[in-house]
Amino acid sequence: MPHADRNLAHAVHADRDLIHAEDTMRDRLIVGLDVPTLKEAEKAVRELDGVVSFYKIGYQLAFAGGLDFARELASGGTRIFLDMKLLDIDNTVAKGVEAIVRMGMTMLTLHAYPKTMKAAVEAARGSDLCLLGVTVLTSMDEQDVIDAGYEYDPHTLVLRRSEQALHAGMGGIVCSAEEAEAVRRIVGPNMAVVTPGIRPKGSDHGDQKRVVTPAQAIRNGSSHLVVGRPIVGAADRRAVAEAILDEMRSA
Ligand code: C5P
């Protein structure tokens, strides 16, 4: 098999496990554990027990003891999306990915730079880790992208990076649900399309600029929805998570 095709086969395999589990919407909702302490994270997980089975751990919690917590949850069968948005020289990225594979994580993000993605795909080969390419952060609009020095508008940049992720053999894409439909057309049915920036009607947007409701995100072709503040910041987290799942099912 040519090299590029082997990469693609890996991506499809990594994703197949995830997409097969999607028969329940529960497996498609990822709650962002964006809390400052381990104690608060444990409390959120306890409150969401039986409703949520997939968590995202990012910078805030990772640097507050969250990596051991991620290992612990994963060893008990909970899926963990480690949102580390890696970007470094190839060797450093590869060694980091190898270590994260050993932690038993389900998903890992890296910035969708072609060289970075290729190094990560090589390092994750043979494992079940689903590598996700971050295209353009959902907190960025056209002016932010220009300020960052890119000549493309966010939409064009998202599509270009999705194509590069597909060719690199990545397991999926992180993008705004506004772009999920166009991304799905590029990456085909087998890659994960993971969308943050989800806001149920009437909820606070915070710093997110490209937001979509849970139902619309599903209709647009998202395989997984990442929801942070709307659930974690709610007084009744369980009720909000259940309402979001109902809305996803209704789509
Ligand atoms: O609180 P909220 O629902 O906005 O949380 C979204 C989560 O998804 C945050 O943890 C954020 O870091 C993450 N994320 C994002 N946009 C991306 C990639 C990740 O908002 N492109």
Side-chain angles (χ1 to χ4, degrees):
M1 204 187 322
H3 189 64
D5 291 351
R6 264 202 331 266
N7 284 342
L8 191 57
H10 167 80
V12 169
H13 166 76
D15 185 56
R16 191 178 292 137
D17 295 335
L18 290 161
I19 300 273
H20 263 200
E22 83 179 357
D23 20 356
T24 67
M25 276 294 166
R26 214 169 80 111
D27 297 311
R28 298 174 63 177
L29 173 64
I30 305 176
V31 172
L33 277 179
D34 296 326
V35 291
T37 65
L38 211 46
K39 219 169 148 187
E40 285 184 57
E42 285 164 351
K43 183 169 178 276
V45 170
R46 260 197 319 275
E47 285 174 17
L48 293 166
D49 184 43
V51 178
V52 171
S53 59
F54 209 152
Y55 291 98
K56 183 176 87 71
I57 292 183
Y59 294 168
Q60 189 180 18
L61 190 61
F63 300 132
L67 295 180
D68 283 338
F69 187 50
R71 268 194 208 90
E72 192 187 311
L73 287 175
S75 67
T78 302
R79 292 177 163 187
I80 302 294
F81 166 0
L82 206 54
D83 192 11
M84 291 293 103
K85 299 190 180 70
L86 301 183
L87 179 62
D88 209 312
I89 59 168
D90 299 357
N91 181 61
T92 303
V93 167
K95 297 300 174 203
V97 169
E98 285 168 14
I100 289 164
V101 164
R102 289 194 292 273
M103 287 174 69
M105 302 292 98
T106 299
M107 287 175 168
L108 168 71
T109 43
L110 40 132
H111 284 282
Y113 284 54
K115 262 169 76 69
T116 310
M117 293 192 287
K118 281 186 197 125
V121 166
E122 205 52 55
R125 193 177 297 290
S127 78
D128 287 334
L129 179 64
C130 179
L131 295 172
L132 302 174
V134 175
T135 53
V136 179
L137 297 171
T138 40
S139 59
M140 292 178 83
D141 61 16
E142 188 149 8
Q143 189 56 49
D144 296 322
V145 170
I146 291 168
D147 290 347
Y150 292 102
E151 55 181 295
Y152 301 102
D153 60 276
H155 187 70
T156 309
L157 195 53
V158 167
L159 298 190
R160 184 180 158 82
R161 290 187 165 168
S162 299
E163 210 172 336
Q164 290 170 328
L166 173 73
H167 291 306
M170 296 285 281
I173 297 293
V174 183
C175 61
S176 156
E178 279 180 0
E179 291 132 5
E181 211 171 345
V183 167
R184 186 53 84 199
R185 272 200 296 275
I186 289 177
V187 303
N190 293 315
M191 272 172 75
V193 175
V194 179
T195 57
I198 301 295
R199 290 294 180 268
K201 269 203 184 71
S203 66
D204 187 3
H205 286 192
D207 60 348
Q208 296 286 19
K209 291 180 179 163
R210 307 195 325 276
V211 301
V212 167
T213 64
Q216 193 58 46
I218 294 290
R219 283 195 289 268
N220 288 1
S222 304
S223 62
H224 298 78
L225 275 55
V226 178
V227 185
R229 285 162 290 184
I231 292 178
V232 171
D236 188 345
R237 292 167 168 156
R238 209 177 163 86
V240 175
E242 272 168 349
I244 289 175
L245 282 167
D246 280 346
E247 194 185 325
M248 289 165 68
R249 287 186 194 108
S250 76

